[in-house]
Amino acid sequence: MNIAKKAAGGALRFRAYATAAYVPPASMENVQRGRLPPPKPKPESPTFYTGRATYYDQLLALENASKQTRSALQQLQLLPLSRFAQQNLPPLHPVWKSQVDLAELMEAKLTTSRYRRFVSQLNQLNQYRRLAEVAGHLALAERLQRVLDMFERENKEAILARGKAKPTKFDEFGRTYTVGRRKESTARVWVIRTQLSPEEQAAASSSTTPAEPPQVQTSESPAPPPAQTVEDPIVHSAPAVGIPGFESGPLSIGPTQVKVHTTNILINNIPFTDYFPNVADRERIVRPFRVAGLIGAFNVFALVRGGGSTGQSGALTLGIAKGIAAHAPEVEPLLRKGFTSLKL
Amino acid sequence: MSLVAALRTGRAVHTTSATLASSAGVIVHSRGYAAAVKPAKKVSSKFKANSGREDKEKQGPRDAGAYHPMPVNSLSDPVFQTENITSLQLPTFRPEAITPSAVAKPMAFPQGESKALKAYGLPRNILVDHLLLTKPCSVIRESTVDLLDQLDKASGSSSKDTRVVLTGKTGCGKSYLLLQAVQYSIQKEWISLYIPRAINLVNSSSSYAYDARTQTYGQPAFAQQLLKRFVDVNEAHVRSLATQAAYTFDDGREFSSGAQVMDLINLGLENQNQAPTVLTALLDELAKQTTYPVLLAIDDFQALYCMSQYRDPFFKSIKAYHLTFPRTLLEFASGKKSFARGAVLGALSTQNTTFRVPLELVESLGLVPSVPTNPYVRREAELLEYAKGLKNFPVPERLSIDEAASLFDLWHQTKALHIPRGDEIFLAKYTESGGNAREFVKKGILQTVTV
């Protein structure tokens, strides 16, 4: 066939002027010759012809990065990793953009299989980043992190913090606001530290010898008349002094000079003994203070509604325990343990 | 071999006739299935009769070791050493000892020569406390010192100037404070008249009779008993008193002025019907005399302002101020009558809800009404008169920490508590009771289950 065509072509060239129709030159003047098409701009990247340029660009970039990182890590002898090391790496918590968000980034629709492929590349790179970070190559890890940050969600912290307990906030007066629930009742509890007087604050912070005790004794001693001291030794026992060997600290001041603070609890603006006449309810509410060993350290104001006395007292207990734990975090394990066996 | 056995073993059956015939040459006509019955094998019985065993030991009733009584020698715990029981060692309540330095100290009321408390009786809750504590005692509070200071100031002036009512939350210690005041006045050589349960005056628990002369209902039995108690406590002082007015009685007896007050009282003690009149006369005499200051102390004070539970012949309720003795008390409380020297002390009580504090008394004392009121609520004019001029002595609703600690210590000295003696549990119970004295003792110490 080709031979025949060649032969025919040759024949045509020979006979074109004889067999072709005669066209006078003048009528050829207005004939528009086919212009060359405008020169097409060369696409930036060869992926243009895929129809999803951005996607493939990104993907290939990730794959390149992945390859380079892998070779770097192999040079650093971090890959392949022993099984023990692999099992003991810290866990990864990536929060990649969703399919819709990535599609927006790629300016094209993203099918699920393409999305999955992309995410698997991201995960691979994330693993290399973790390896670099754990091994101490922070510069490399940081470069990889910058790459990966482009594809992580903005609210990553918020998503990762879901389900975890939020730390209780303190307001400008040093009060915590916590909520407790039990059965049908809800309690909103504000817990604040009891105020120390300035002397107590000074005594608590410093450990200088207090000058007051001797003066207090001399003021007390002339009060009882002399006739009594013979008869009633119980009333006029020795005035309270500190233990002789101690010059400073809590044992240097007599017990009567120590001010004992008490915990006051107001519920719906009513003193809690009026609100809960039942002994069991009262004991339930005071229990968090006893378990923590902090009776007298805090005052409580609470609003409670719903349910009956048991539910309300249980809700208050929980709210108070949360408040105490916020003020004194060292006590939180005690409170958690102290309430496992007790049926509130 | 029998047919059955043969069938079991699967061997061919040989008829007995054939076997017998072949062996003995005898023809026996029998059927193959009729085999001779084999006699049963004799097996020795394993049954053992009980009768054979006499030497078997007889067991007593089922022995649960826990219920064996212990031999006396093993009772070594101190609880069982009854000869070692020590009673509470407390300082004695004395006027000289009541000073600001004695605040938050427990003191025992003196027993023995002064029969005061036993004579007059006690409010029921205090009586129970004393039975449990094995000794009548109480803790001195700041309000004790304040009240006794007021009594000291009142000893020189008329009782019209010192008509004080102890008020406060339920369980804050009003009755105890009144008791301490009575004890103080007895020891300070006052003449004391103490009515520990004024509700018994108005709850129709004693007999009553209408007196046409005074147009009031007298309570003869109660009056006679009160006279007896009064004499038990105040005999020494009363023996020195002489009447300053003349009195005549229904049975014809007359007492001119200058007669012995003791004779007047004896008339009432002998003759129950005259006792209400004698009691009124006695109080009038005590009002006039200036030798000794007089303390009139009434617990359940609000009962005098309520409707009594007595009924008149038309079955209408009798008002408390239509009973002779309550009326006298109200007259002294309102200042219509007054002791030349002395004071009137009352203590409200919240325990009996049949006799609640009425509105007139609430407003006179400046308390917060328990139900919302308005100017259109009816207030009885007589009760307003009887409530005029009463001074409110508010008793603090919380014990101070020292007072509460003293109380806690006092109860522990009885060695009869089930809770440990420690500061943590003390603070916990103090917090749970909110510092209220009755709640602290009753619910915090005695009724608590969690430790």
Side-chain angles (χ1 to χ4, degrees), chain B residues 51-62:
Chain B
S51 54
R53 292 192 278 170
E54 266 94 21
D55 55 350
K56 179 181 163 187
E57 52 187 68
K58 294 257 185 259
Q59 276 183 351
R62 186 155 159 238

Side-chain angles (χ1 to χ4, degrees), chain A residues 13-125:
Chain A
R13 259 183 254 120
F14 268 160
R15 294 189 55 198
Y17 62 90
T19 54
Y22 172 70
V23 180
S27 59
M28 295 291 282
E29 284 165 19
N30 291 331
V31 170
Q32 285 183 340
R33 300 273 170 196
R35 255 184 270 144
L36 283 171
K40 282 191 194 162
K42 215 173 172 188
E44 303 95 21
S45 84
T47 54
F48 172 80
Y49 295 103
T50 60
R52 288 171 175 74
T54 328
Y55 169 75
Y56 281 105
D57 273 344
Q58 306 267 23
L59 186 65
L60 290 173
L62 279 183
E63 282 176 0
N64 272 337
S66 207
K67 267 189 224 156
Q68 282 171 15
T69 322
R70 195 176 326 129
S71 68
L73 292 174
Q74 275 170 348
Q75 275 185 357
L76 295 167
Q77 296 186 338
L78 290 170
L79 280 180
L81 211 55
S82 67
R83 199 191 309 158
F84 170 78
Q86 189 72 41
Q87 283 165 358
N88 285 289
L89 287 170
L92 283 169
H93 300 291
V95 184
W96 306 122
K97 282 189 153 68
S98 65
Q99 192 170 342
V100 169
D101 289 339
L102 268 186
E104 211 179 297
L105 202 66
M106 309 295 180
E107 297 150 359
K109 257 194 205 171
L110 198 60
T111 59
T112 310
S113 50
R114 289 198 176 100
Y115 173 70
R116 282 188 190 156
R117 189 174 166 196
F118 199 81
V119 167
S120 73
Q121 278 302 313
L122 287 171
N123 282 332
Q124 179 71 273
L125 206 58

